[in-house]
Amino acid sequence: MSNKIVKIRNISISNQLPIVLIAGPCQLESLNHSRKIAETLCSLSQKLNFKLIFKGSFDKANRTSIKSQRGLGLDNGLTI
């Protein structure tokens, strides 16, 4: 079995390397909301010594109801 390494900027991801957490809100709500979540996750990653990639969705199309909120949309999401 090969040990493929995926590099994302300064983070290397592989089955043979320490865990990297990819986390964030299911749906971006606002800049303030995203910053609060990112700051909390960043503090935890430093305290527990793991790498973190922050990820949030700007358009959540896979909802069970057509009337559910989908997110901020591409333009607003990219500014966050």
Side-chain angles (χ1 to χ4, degrees):
M1 178 181 259
S2 68
N3 182 24
K4 183 171 182 167
I5 296 175
V6 176
K7 288 189 148 287
I8 302 170
R9 294 194 180 183
N10 65 336
I11 297 175
S12 295
I13 301 172
S14 168
N15 289 339
Q16 308 303 318
L17 295 172
I19 192 168
V20 175
L21 180 66
I22 300 172
C26 258
Q27 178 178 304
L28 294 175
E29 294 180 15
S30 67
L31 178 58
N32 189 45
H33 178 252
S34 297
R35 280 187 174 158
K36 189 173 185 177
I37 293 170
E39 287 170 359
T40 301
L41 289 171
C42 189
S43 292
L44 283 171
S45 74
Q46 291 172 353
K47 179 180 177 182
L48 300 174
N49 195 30
F50 62 85
K51 299 284 186 180
L52 170 71
I53 297 173
F54 180 80
K55 172 237 161 270
S57 294
F58 59 84
D59 183 13
K60 203 68 172 171
N62 59 343
R63 297 291 185 193
T64 55
S65 170
I66 196 164
K67 296 179 181 179
S68 295
Q69 267 192 303
R70 291 183 57 153
L72 297 175
L74 179 61
D75 292 334
N76 291 331
L78 286 174
T79 61
I80 292 176

